[in-house]
Structure formats: C-alpha cells, structure tokens
Amino acid sequence: MKYPQLLNRFLTYVKVDTRSNENSKTQPSTQSQVDFAHNVLLPEMKRIGLVDVRYLPNGFSIGSLPANDPSLTRKIGFIAHIDTADFNAENIQPQLVKDYDGSIIPLGTSGYTLNEKDFPQLANYKGQTLITTDGTTLLGADDKSGIAEIMTAIDFLKTHPDLKHCDIRVAFGPDEEIGTGADAFDVLDFDVDFAYTVDGGPLGELQYETFNAAAAEVEFIGRNVHPGTAKDTMVNALQLAMDFHSELPEKDRPELTEGYEGFYHLMDLEGSVDHAVASYIIRDFDHAGFQSRKAKLTAITDQLNSRFDKERVLLKMKDQYYNMKTIIAKDMTPVEIAKSVMKQLGITPITAPVRGGTDGSKLSFLGIPTPNLFAGGENMHGRFEFVSLETMEKAVDVIIGISTYPS
C-alpha cells in the first residue's frame, strides 16, 4: 500500500457522526462537527507537522505547511468539508471488499446489496479494494475521503523533505451539505493564490462549472368552508399549489435533465385546504437562464394572485450560489495545473460540469478561485455509497503533484 495510513484515517473519520442540520441556528450547525474538529482533526493536523493550526469562529480548522523551496512561490489551498448529508449517520460500520470480483456485494445484514445491474459503474472497480456501508447508514466519503486524502498528502510531504513543494494551506470546514459552511470563510486569513476543494466523485473529476442556484418557498393561503357550499367561496390551498406546479415546464425536472440542462425541483409540499407550503430549488448553468427561471416563478405567482381580491400566493426566493466558471475562466491556471498533473499520473481529466454546487462556488466569488478535485466517492448521500481505496490513493498523488508543480 503506497500510503499505509490512508485507509485507517478514512475509517476513523467516517465512524464519527458529523451530520449537519439545516434547521439549526448555530454555526456550525451541529455540536458533533465542533467535537470532530477539536478531538480528531486539530490534534492530527499538529501531529503531521502543520503549523499555525487554528480553529476559527466560523467552524473551519486551518493550518499551513510552509514551502521548502523558495523557487516555488505559489500559495495553494486544499479544502474539504466535515459534515455529511441528510441521511442516517449514526453508528456507521464500513465494510471492506478486497479484490472486488464483480459479484453482488451484500451490505451487512440489511438486505440491501451493491450490484452491477443497479450500479453499472461498479464494473470500473474490479480488482480494487472497496469501502461500502452496511446498508443502514451512509458512508461519509463525501467528504471524509477528501479530508483523509489531504491529511495523507501533507503527512507524506512532511516526511519526504526531498519533495520540494510550495506554500500549502489546508482548511476543513462545516455545513457544506446545507450550503452555509463557506459563507463566513475568511479569505484574507487563508491567503492563497487559488485553492481546490477535494470533494468530487470518481477518478479524474476536475470541475470548474457549477449551477447557479436559488431556493424558493411558496406559501398558499386558502379559505376553507364546507365542501357542500363551497362554490365561489372555497379557496383550496392545495389546489393552488397544484395549479402553481402545473405552470412549470413539464420536462424541467431533475429526473428528466442532464448535462447543461437546468431544472425546477419540488423538494417538499405540505398543507391542507386552508394553508399549504411548497419548497423548490432552481438550477441553471447559464446566468440569463437562471434569471429567467426565477422570473417564471414570479410570473406564475402574479398570474394566480390575479384571480383573487387579495394575495393568496406568497413567493420568497433566495440565491444560494453561482456558477464558479464566471470567476475561474478569468484565469485557468488552477485548472491547467490540475490537468497537467493528472495526465502525468496517467489519469484522464473529466471536466464535466457539476450538477450541484461545492464550497468552491462560494469561495470563488469570495475571491479564491477554487475548482473541485475528485475524492473518489460514488452513490453519495445514501446507503449505497462506496469508495475505492485505489482512487483515494490517486487523489493523494494529485494533491502532492499540484503542491510540487513548478511555479
């Protein structure tokens, strides 16, 4: 094994529940993330030789590895997130599948399995060591694989001083999964020329395009009367919600879109005749298309309200993040370096757009161009999540390669 500590690090990290909570009013959103930082990450950051190791009020654990060659003048950051997604993260029991042979993988005794019929990408991993769940929880490779890879790369560089590297900053932060972690990131304090989130999926992913994203909450105010005398009197809030949704383009849904196609996604609908609330997310890669989608929701709201003598449809929208390509395209140096390193390592870069967002979206607009590197996870955010140890090792190779790339 090229990096003996990588697997143990990863297994140690994923067994700790660090799920975030979008309903929390604190930053970080859960105490478990704070405890993980203080009890696990900060001591290890100091042990492997990082300096100026600190826990910041915004929930980020940061540290530095000073350059050991004055000719390497870049300052580069590597960033991963602590929290896991909205799925059971208690009592995670990862299982190892060595020399995967293509057969069906039972997930513990849960009755669930990983098989190539349902997950064809498994065929890419024959002969490799896979880490899976036991079927009752997620795994947490998103993004504890990234944390383990960054830690392992720093450890390797520190113990191999013959490898000349630039100034490196690392940051492990909270609440990426709920979209708030990077909001308070201290760009000036981090002080890098550019950075990478190590938060992608399969081998070779190198992403610098994300959606433009917004969230919308639509409230429907009904008037409930006896259905037998409802004519011209009742206003059914649930029917209004259905009318609202039916005005959206029928095929602009996540399950019917791919590539650069945007969508509206109905996330939640609750209510009664008297009152209902629908929650949407809006996504589009193109800025003009993004604005058009938001305008569509406003137009539908106005159209429905025109039926009544008072507002019965109340729309609230909030932008969440923007396509980081807008910033990164101004100077593609971080992307070109990562591409070059991957090619030197025999890895084919995959630059397909992220049909989602990363902390890099916000960080790029805050002033640190931050593309996203693969970390290895597949089927993330659920019981079928798995990661290849060999892919994680190659992610470490890429981090080291970027850190030692000539200035």
Side-chain angles (χ1 to χ4, degrees):
M1 189 180 297
K2 187 173 184 181
Y3 304 109
Q5 298 304 314
L6 177 59
L7 178 59
N8 288 336
R9 276 194 179 100
F10 178 68
L11 295 178
T12 297
Y13 298 163
V14 298
K15 290 178 182 178
V16 182
D17 178 2
T18 55
R19 179 174 166 179
S20 48
N21 177 7
E22 66 179 351
N23 297 315
S24 171
K25 303 300 183 184
T26 64
Q27 174 76 12
S29 66
T30 52
Q31 183 62 36
S32 62
Q33 295 181 78
V34 179
D35 294 342
F36 181 70
H38 284 284
N39 299 334
V40 179
L41 295 184
L42 293 167
E44 185 168 11
M45 291 167 72
K46 294 174 182 177
R47 183 185 63 77
I48 65 176
L50 287 166
V51 300
D52 194 24
V53 173
R54 291 172 285 151
Y55 182 81
L56 301 180
N58 59 14
F60 277 83
S61 302
I62 67 169
S64 301
L65 186 66
N68 60 1
D69 184 336
S71 71
L72 300 177
T73 57
R74 290 192 184 94
K75 293 180 286 186
I76 299 177
F78 295 98
I79 300 166
H81 65 88
I82 292 171
D83 65 317
T84 59
D86 186 15
F87 194 84
N88 182 26
E90 295 182 3
N91 193 32
I92 293 174
Q93 298 295 324
Q95 59 180 29
L96 261 63
V97 181
K98 296 183 178 179
D99 298 318
Y100 172 61
D101 61 6
S103 60
I104 294 173
I105 303 172
L107 299 180
T109 59
S110 67
Y112 294 100
T113 65
L114 280 173
N115 61 81
E116 291 186 23
K117 179 182 177 182
D118 293 332
F119 305 105
Q121 71 269 35
L122 278 166
N124 300 326
Y125 297 99
K126 289 179 181 176
Q128 299 187 28
T129 295
L130 303 184
I131 305 105
T132 77
T133 77
D134 69 354
T136 64
T137 67
L138 49 63
L139 179 61
D142 181 12
D143 186 27
K144 287 170 181 170
S145 58
I147 300 174
E149 290 152 7
I150 294 169
M151 286 282 205
T152 300
I154 295 297
D155 195 1
F156 191 85
L157 288 170
K158 186 65 178 177
T159 56
H160 291 77
D162 53 307
L163 288 173
K164 303 306 179 183
H165 59 81
C166 66
D167 271 335
I168 303 168
R169 310 278 194 269
V170 303
F172 305 120
D175 295 334
E176 188 270 353
E177 298 292 357
I178 60 174
T180 61
D183 289 347
F185 193 84
D186 192 334
V187 170
L188 295 178
D189 182 69
F190 200 53
D191 187 26
V192 295
D193 299 314
F194 52 81
Y196 300 89
T197 48
V198 186
D199 190 22
L203 178 68
E205 281 194 349
L206 170 59
Q207 299 156 325
Y208 60 95
E209 295 183 74
T210 56
F211 279 132
N212 297 289
E217 182 178 275
V218 194
E219 184 178 6
F220 303 93
I221 310 299
R223 181 167 57 217
N224 192 7
V225 299
H226 191 285
T229 57
K231 183 174 174 58
D232 299 328
T233 304
M234 175 185 285
V235 178
N236 189 331
L238 288 171
Q239 183 61 53
L240 272 180
M242 293 168 61
D243 292 347
F244 185 98
H245 190 72
S246 68
E247 290 294 324
L248 294 173
E250 182 180 357
K251 295 183 179 180
D252 284 15
R253 308 198 303 261
E255 63 269 32
L256 298 177
T257 55
E258 62 183 352
Y260 284 95
E261 296 171 329
F263 57 74
Y264 303 91
H265 181 28
L266 177 60
M267 298 282 290
D268 188 66
L269 175 61
E270 295 182 351
S272 63
V273 172
D274 192 59
H275 181 264
V277 177
S279 298
Y280 289 88
I281 60 173
I282 304 105
R283 301 290 188 262
D284 204 295
F285 285 97
D286 177 70
H287 182 73
F290 178 56
Q291 298 299 333
S292 177
R293 288 184 184 279
K294 292 190 292 181
K296 178 71 172 177
L297 294 185
T298 300
I300 295 171
T301 300
D302 293 342
Q303 173 191 332
L304 292 178
N305 278 326
S306 69
R307 301 179 185 176
F308 307 103
D309 58 358
K310 59 179 287 187
E311 287 191 344
R312 292 193 174 274
V313 182
L314 307 177
L315 171 65
K316 295 179 182 177
M317 278 191 292
K318 179 182 179 181
D319 288 358
Q320 297 171 305
Y321 57 85
Y322 303 109
N323 188 347
M324 61 186 179
K325 181 182 179 181
T326 304
I327 303 300
I328 294 173
K330 296 175 182 177
D331 183 354
M332 292 286 281
T333 298
V335 174
E336 295 305 324
I337 290 175
K339 280 184 179 179
S340 178
V341 168
M342 287 187 191
K343 290 175 181 177
Q344 290 173 17
L345 293 168
I347 301 169
T348 301
I350 302 170
T351 55
V354 184
R355 287 184 61 80
T358 74
D359 276 342
S361 301
K362 290 186 177 180
L363 293 174
S364 293
F365 280 88
L366 286 172
I368 303 177
T370 309
N372 189 39
L373 300 173
F374 71 91
E378 295 259 21
N379 299 341
M380 292 180 282
H381 295 188
R383 70 178 83 249
F384 300 108
E385 186 180 1
F386 70 91
V387 68
S388 156
L389 179 59
E390 286 78 3
T391 300
M392 291 179 65
E393 290 178 335
K394 290 177 180 177
V396 177
D397 290 339
V398 170
I399 295 168
I400 292 171
I402 291 171
S403 301
T404 58
Y405 197 84
S407 293

